[in-house]
């Protein structure tokens, strides 16, 4: 069922339209009673919002499926009617392409694809936008590029990287985000931390700038950004026989309470994942040391002298963390910062026992699939025992599994 009147359309929509043109031909009266067809057409328009026809090699299409069009796939009289109504929009507005791999007993629309009518895409798009009150909204990047180009003078440095980054915040326009970046200049000489800058300029969002320090230095050459101190939590016993870096908080707290028993006599340091491998961790100006209340005060001076001297330690150094690739990477990083740090046998032995009894977990079950497999750590026990055990079983064990 064609719609000859559509062939005479000469409507030109503005780039940013808030209402459909008053002279848009009315939508078919049945469209309001067919929510799945409306959603299907709206999806087609949403894909055009992301990438307009003018910059596409191929027009977008939408595939019909039982998941997205459950009413249509009920194969009853109502679904036959809906299919007929959708087909009535061809060939003037839509093209329907059957699925060549459709099974013999599947309905004709199973896996069919819908796209704007070839050769009439622009007219069809304009008409559908009017019917569905779905005005074109240029992608955020387009708004962003125009805003940065117009406001490049707000920044003493180059704004080229800012154009490429196109950072956005939900609920904020491109211009609002650009103005927030410009406000950073008001604090460029104060020496705030990156998170303080972020909170002050981006509506209290303290983490928005976390990975954008290089971008800020490009926008504001000479900006003063105070380094965020690394917090180190530790416990010193009255007699220190060794230093033990512990990866996870629960295991650190258990060690403070004397579990496992082998922690006795060790200085205990909570490294909180990769925080302990930060390159600034032995810089006095970049670290804030927090001693547990029951730490031995007489040991502090000696301990801090070693920590900030950068020299080798007279006590044996150990690391205990998860028996996984990430834990082994922490061990490798700690060795680069502190020297001869070894994997703590007393902690890893019971974890190996669990692994040998198939009591570990697969990487995928704990969202660890992206962990890199280190070739070696430099520690014999880790390289010859722990890593081979992980690789041969394909399983990991978290250190919290070890208790007295």
């Amino acid at each position: 069922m064609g719609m000859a009147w559509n062939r005479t359309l000469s409507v030109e929509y503005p780039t940013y339209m808030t209402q459909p043109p008053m002279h848009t031909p009315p939508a078919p009266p049945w469209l309001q009673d067919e929510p799945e067809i409306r959603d299907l057409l709206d999806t087609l328009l949403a894909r055009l919002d992301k990438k307009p026809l003018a910059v596409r090699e191929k027009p977008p299409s939408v595939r019909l499926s039982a998941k997205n069009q459950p009413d249509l796939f009920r194969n009853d009289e109502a679904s036959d009617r809906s299919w007929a109504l959708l087909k009535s929009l061809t060939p003037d507005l839509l093209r329907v392409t059957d699925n060549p791999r459709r099974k013999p007993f599947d309905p004709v629309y199973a896996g069919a694809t819908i796209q704007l009518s070839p050769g009439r895409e622009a007219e069809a798009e304009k008409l559908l936008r009017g019917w569905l009150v779905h005005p074109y909204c240029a992608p955020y990047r387009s708004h962003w590029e125009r805003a940065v180009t117009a406001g490049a003078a707000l920044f003493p440095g180059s704004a080229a990287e800012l154009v490429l980054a196109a950072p956005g915040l939900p609920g904020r326009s491109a211009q609002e985000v650009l103005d927030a970046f410009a406000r950073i200049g008001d604090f460029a000489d104060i020496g705030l931390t990156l998170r303080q800058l972020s909170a002050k300029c981006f509506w209290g969002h303290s983490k928005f700038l976390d990975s954008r320090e290089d971008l800020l230095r490009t926008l504001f050459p000479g900006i003063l950004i105070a380094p965020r101190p690394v917090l180190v939590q530790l416990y010193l016993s009255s007699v220190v026989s060794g230093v033990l870096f512990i990866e996870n908080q629960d295991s650190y707290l258990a060690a403070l309470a004397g579990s496992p028993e082998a922690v006795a006599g060790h200085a205990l340091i909570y490294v909180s994942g990769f925080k302990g491998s930060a390159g600034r961790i032995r810089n006095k100006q970049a670290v804030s040391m927090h001693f547990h209340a029951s730490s031995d005060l007489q040991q502090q001076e000696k301990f801090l002298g070693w920590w900030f001297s950068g020299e080798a330690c007279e006590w044996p150094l150990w690391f205990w963390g998860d028996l996984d690739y990430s834990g082994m990477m922490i061990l490798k990083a700690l060795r680069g910062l502190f020297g001869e740090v070894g994997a703590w046998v007393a902690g890893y032995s019971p974890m190996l026992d669990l692994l040998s009894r198939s009591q570990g977990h697969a990487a995928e079950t704990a969202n660890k699939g992206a962990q890199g497999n280190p070739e070696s750590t430099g520690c014999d026990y880790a390289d010859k025992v722990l890593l081979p055990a992980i690789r041969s079983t394909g399983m990991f064990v978290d250190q919290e599994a070890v208790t007295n």
Side-chain angles (χ1 to χ4, degrees), residues 241-245 266 269 282 303 306 311-319 331 334-335 337-344:
S241 59
V243 176
L244 177 61
F245 296 95
H266 286 81
I269 304 172
R282 302 191 77 174
F303 183 88
W306 157 69
E311 297 177 355
C313 186
E314 65 178 68
W315 302 300
L317 302 173
W318 306 104
F319 168 72
L331 170 61
L334 288 172
R335 288 177 60 84
L337 291 165
F338 292 95
E340 293 298 318
V341 182
W344 193 48

Side-chain angles (χ1 to χ4, degrees), residues 250-268:
D250 284 5
S251 297
Y252 172 71
L253 294 174
L256 291 176
S259 177
E261 294 179 355
V263 299
H266 286 81
L268 305 176

Side-chain angles (χ1 to χ4, degrees), residues 40-105:
L40 178 70
L41 299 177
D42 205 54
T43 298
L44 200 57
L45 294 177
R47 294 185 179 180
L48 286 166
D49 287 342
K50 294 181 179 179
K51 193 174 184 180
L53 283 169
V55 296
R56 284 180 176 268
E57 293 183 3
K58 297 181 179 179
S61 62
V62 180
R63 186 178 298 276
L64 297 174
S65 69
K67 177 181 178 181
N68 296 324
Q69 291 83 34
D71 289 345
L72 180 63
F73 278 76
R74 286 192 299 195
N75 297 323
D76 55 15
E77 184 177 345
S79 62
D80 290 342
R81 177 178 179 274
S82 295
W83 177 242
L85 292 173
L86 180 62
K87 290 278 286 185
S88 75
L89 300 180
T90 62
D92 296 277
L93 294 181
L94 302 177
R95 179 169 74 177
V96 178
T97 304
D98 293 343
N99 177 12
R101 298 182 180 180
R102 177 171 56 88
K103 296 179 181 179
F105 298 103

Side-chain angles (χ1 to χ4, degrees), residues 6-277:
N6 188 32
R7 293 190 174 91
T8 65
L9 285 179
S10 60
V11 181
E12 291 297 330
Y13 283 29
T15 303
Y16 303 103
M17 181 179 64
T18 57
Q19 296 293 332
M22 296 301 293
H23 55 285
T24 299
W30 52 261
L31 190 59
Q32 289 302 315
D33 299 323
E34 294 288 338
E36 287 190 354
I37 294 180
R38 291 203 314 273
D39 289 345
L40 178 70
L41 299 177
D42 205 54
T43 298
L44 200 57
L45 294 177
R47 294 185 179 180
L48 286 166
D49 287 342
K50 294 181 179 179
K51 193 174 184 180
L53 283 169
V55 296
R56 284 180 176 268
E57 293 183 3
K58 297 181 179 179
S61 62
V62 180
R63 186 178 298 276
L64 297 174
S65 69
K67 177 181 178 181
N68 296 324
Q69 291 83 34
D71 289 345
L72 180 63
F73 278 76
R74 286 192 299 195
N75 297 323
D76 55 15
E77 184 177 345
S79 62
D80 290 342
R81 177 178 179 274
S82 295
W83 177 242
L85 292 173
L86 180 62
K87 290 278 286 185
S88 75
L89 300 180
T90 62
D92 296 277
L93 294 181
L94 302 177
R95 179 169 74 177
V96 178
T97 304
D98 293 343
N99 177 12
R101 298 182 180 180
R102 177 171 56 88
K103 296 179 181 179
F105 298 103
D106 283 345
V108 66
Y109 40 79
T113 56
I114 309 297
Q115 65 183 130
L116 298 178
S117 184
R120 299 181 50 78
E121 291 95 346
E123 289 179 289
E125 178 187 353
K126 293 172 184 177
L127 187 60
L128 291 177
R129 288 192 184 279
W131 285 359
L132 299 172
V133 194
H134 185 138
Y136 172 72
C137 179
Y140 179 83
R141 180 174 288 277
S142 298
H143 292 288
W144 179 253
E145 290 178 358
R146 283 193 292 272
V148 177
T149 300
L154 296 170
F155 307 100
S158 170
E161 290 185 20
L162 188 60
V163 174
L164 297 175
L169 274 171
R172 299 291 177 178
S173 69
Q175 187 61 54
E176 288 177 310
V177 175
L178 181 68
D179 291 342
F181 270 98
R183 282 196 294 272
I184 294 172
D186 296 338
F187 308 98
D189 299 329
I190 297 177
L192 299 179
T193 67
L194 205 59
R195 292 210 170 174
Q196 288 171 330
L197 275 172
S198 188
K200 282 184 176 293
C201 300
F202 292 89
W203 305 279
H205 191 332
S206 66
K207 299 179 182 179
F208 183 71
L209 295 176
D210 271 6
S211 60
R212 298 186 166 103
E213 181 173 345
D214 289 343
L215 175 60
L216 295 195
R217 296 191 183 281
T218 301
L219 294 171
F220 301 97
I223 185 173
L224 298 178
I225 300 176
R228 196 164 177 237
V230 179
L231 299 180
V232 178
Q233 301 179 56
L234 63 157
Y235 161 78
L236 294 178
S237 59
S238 57
V239 178
V240 176
S241 59
V243 176
L244 177 61
F245 296 95
I246 300 177
E247 178 180 359
N248 296 305
Q249 180 176 327
D250 284 5
S251 297
Y252 172 71
L253 294 174
L256 291 176
S259 177
E261 294 179 355
V263 299
H266 286 81
L268 305 176
I269 304 172
Y270 171 42
V271 297
S272 183
F274 279 92
K275 183 181 73 175
S277 63

